[in-house]
Amino acid sequence: MISSYCRRCASTSASNPAAWARNTLPGGFTSDGLKHYGLLTNFGQESLEQLKSQEVRRRKRQLDDDTNQPYVDLFSKRISDECSDYLKSQASPSDVLARAFFGSKHFMPERMILTPIHLLSGESSTSIPSSFQVKERFLQWTVVCKSPLELILSWQVSNVKGVTMFAFDPALRKAYHGNCINITEKALDRPLAATGLQLHKQYAQFLLDGMVKHL
């Protein structure tokens, strides 16, 4: 879920790009926050504003259900002072992170596979946008939540769905990449699934490294 200081940042005028940085605090991004966002919004498929209060309360009770917790990860990487200063100077660092992620050499093989598919379907853009706007689609992803410091996109393939997050913590000078998927942690305990999970973690870290290198 977008952190409280991110919500404060979102209300700051973009006419003063560095203004939001003065109110930031370290440690605002956690795997639990991303997991809670995934559960409460049906992994980005629904908006909290559109849900009835009774349904929101029901979903909040699920947060404490240890038997049905979805898989979540969150990786971070320290960035250079120069890179951090560059991101701080931007009106929307989250846009810069997303463009770096999808435009990196590390993501290029996946992009080459997905682009022809979405060119044929015509359902989403295949060009990396300069600004990621809520409800807009790029390849497999739909933007569902955005602040200057954090961007969350949803995706779905058959019955598997999830959210992907990019974030920047200016106080800690760290870039983040996280994922939450509607596959329970219990299901991932099986040997074959555990191997696939390990490969996913390595790939997610690889993509984070590529994003930081591309900044």
Side-chain angles (χ1 to χ4, degrees):
M1 187 181 298
I2 281 192
S3 60
S4 59
Y5 76 83
C6 251
R7 288 195 294 270
R8 291 201 303 271
C9 293
S11 63
T12 302
S13 171
S15 61
N16 187 356
W20 51 262
R22 291 196 292 270
N23 296 320
T24 58
L25 302 171
F29 306 107
T30 67
S31 58
D32 280 345
L34 185 59
K35 179 171 64 176
H36 293 173
Y37 179 86
L39 285 172
L40 290 175
T41 64
N42 189 21
F43 301 90
Q45 303 300 313
E46 301 172 53
S47 171
L48 282 176
E49 290 76 14
Q50 297 174 341
L51 295 176
K52 295 181 179 180
S53 57
Q54 183 179 1
E55 176 62 15
V56 173
R57 289 195 296 270
R58 186 189 70 80
R59 294 186 184 187
K60 284 184 176 180
R61 288 195 294 270
Q62 287 183 313
L63 301 179
D64 299 322
D65 181 5
D66 293 334
T67 63
N68 195 35
Q69 294 296 299
Y71 170 77
V72 63
D73 60 45
L74 183 64
F75 302 94
S76 65
K77 190 174 181 68
R78 186 75 177 265
I79 59 177
S80 67
D81 291 348
E82 181 182 7
C83 187
S84 178
D85 289 342
Y86 168 71
L87 288 174
K88 287 179 183 179
S89 72
Q90 303 301 302
S92 180
S94 60
D95 278 320
V96 178
L97 289 177
R99 290 198 302 270
F101 181 90
F102 291 119
S104 71
K105 292 181 179 179
H106 289 198
F107 183 75
M108 183 59 69
E110 184 174 350
R111 186 179 172 193
M112 291 175 66
I113 293 171
L114 293 175
T115 296
I117 297 172
H118 291 280
L119 274 174
L120 290 172
S121 70
E123 294 178 351
S124 60
S125 172
T126 57
S127 299
I128 300 175
S130 58
S131 177
F132 289 76
Q133 301 299 322
V134 173
K135 295 185 180 180
E136 289 187 353
R137 295 188 62 182
F138 169 68
L139 297 179
Q140 196 70 36
W141 293 267
T142 301
V143 181
V144 292
C145 204
K146 180 181 182 181
S147 82
L149 296 181
E150 184 176 22
L151 187 69
I152 300 178
L153 306 96
S154 68
W155 57 268
Q156 183 167 359
V157 178
S158 188
N159 293 326
V160 181
K161 53 191 173 183
V163 290
T164 301
M165 181 266 267
F166 312 114
F168 166 56
D169 189 323
L172 295 180
R173 296 196 296 277
K174 282 186 176 182
Y176 295 80
H177 168 44
N179 304 275
C180 185
I181 307 172
N182 71 331
I183 299 176
T184 63
E185 294 175 349
K186 184 177 181 180
L188 293 171
D189 287 339
R190 300 163 187 163
L192 186 59
T195 301
L197 177 59
Q198 188 60 37
L199 291 174
H200 162 79
K201 289 181 177 180
Q202 293 174 359
Y203 183 55
Q205 183 68 63
F206 176 73
L207 293 178
L208 171 64
D209 292 343
M211 177 178 74
V212 172
K213 287 180 180 179
H214 195 75
L215 287 172

